Amino acid sequence: ERLQRFNNLLSDCDINFCSLGPSYDPEHTTTICPEIVSIAPGRFSCSANINAGDITAALAAAKCIKTISLKDEGEHLQGGLGNFRFAAASCIDTVPFFPGARAPKGLGKDTIAFAVGLENGGFARELLQEAGSIENVQKVFHDKMRKELLPIQQICVGLESDNGMHYLGIDTSLNPSLDDGGSV
């Protein structure tokens, strides 16, 4: 019920994605994470933290993934799509991408930190077409990504200095996409 109210609030504010962070408890991973992912229209994502060698946490994440893959009550879940909203992550302190987004531990309860994660599959596809050959990919990506991202970086650095926030950077990794033509 609380998550549904939160979902409605995010909708009212036109926020389409929200990561609720990682589960550190294998029981929560198997019970709560599939429920979070199930909430329509698919705004929420979450993850499970799995430390190296932690078989219990790995098995819980596998069970969660299987549970999510079998859910089909809602367009955002059909055909296993719900698993685009769950991540099993290991030994990662800061994650700016969905579904595993989380801020680093130890910032302090009054510290606001933020990072920028990109939905850049369509842009990457355009850059690959522009490059025309494998030899040109590095230069085209470097030049065009810098052109697009440096203004965003400047805004983020300004927010950091003007508002006392902690800017964690931009994740430029290529992403899978649920949109047609959005993945590389």
Side-chain angles (χ1 to χ4, degrees):
E1 183 181 317
R2 281 190 244 168
L3 277 179
Q4 191 56 56
R5 287 195 319 248
F6 186 42
N7 189 35
N8 293 340
L9 177 64
L10 293 172
S11 177
D12 291 346
C13 295
D14 201 26
I15 297 172
N16 296 316
F17 300 100
C18 179
S19 176
L20 297 178
S23 164
Y24 292 96
D25 180 330
E27 184 177 333
H28 291 166
T29 299
T30 60
T31 58
I32 296 173
C33 289
E35 293 308 311
I36 288 171
V37 169
S38 296
I39 296 172
R43 184 179 325 278
F44 293 122
S45 66
C46 60
S47 61
N49 189 68
I50 304 171
N51 292 319
D54 188 342
I55 303 299
T56 303
L59 289 171
K63 183 176 179 181
C64 177
I65 290 166
K66 183 174 182 182
T67 299
I68 293 169
S69 73
L70 298 173
K71 290 182 170 286
D72 65 358
E73 61 278 348
E75 190 176 323
H76 69 290
L77 297 172
Q78 292 177 352
L81 291 178
N83 276 312
F84 276 93
R85 293 171 174 82
F86 177 77
S90 178
C91 305
I92 301 172
D93 186 45
T94 304
V95 182
F97 60 85
F98 285 81
R102 64 174 129 175
K105 292 180 179 178
L107 285 178
K109 66 178 184 170
D110 296 327
T111 302
I112 297 173
F114 70 100
V116 176
L118 304 173
E119 289 280 335
N120 60 7
F123 183 52
R125 181 181 290 277
E126 289 174 25
L127 296 180
L128 287 170
Q129 289 174 343
E130 182 178 327
S133 70
I134 195 74
E135 293 81 18
N136 297 330
V137 169
Q138 182 177 356
K139 178 167 179 31
V140 169
F141 266 70
H142 176 269
D143 294 350
K144 299 292 176 141
M145 290 286 267
R146 283 181 58 86
K147 180 181 176 199
E148 295 298 323
L149 297 180
L150 281 177
I152 296 169
Q153 174 91 353
Q154 290 170 344
I155 291 169
C156 292
V157 169
L159 284 171
E160 181 179 46
S161 62
D162 294 347
N163 298 295
M165 298 178 190
H166 185 68
Y167 173 53
L168 302 171
I170 298 176
D171 176 15
T172 61
S173 58
L174 300 178
N175 65 290
S177 177
L178 300 176
D179 297 330
D180 291 337
S183 288
V184 177

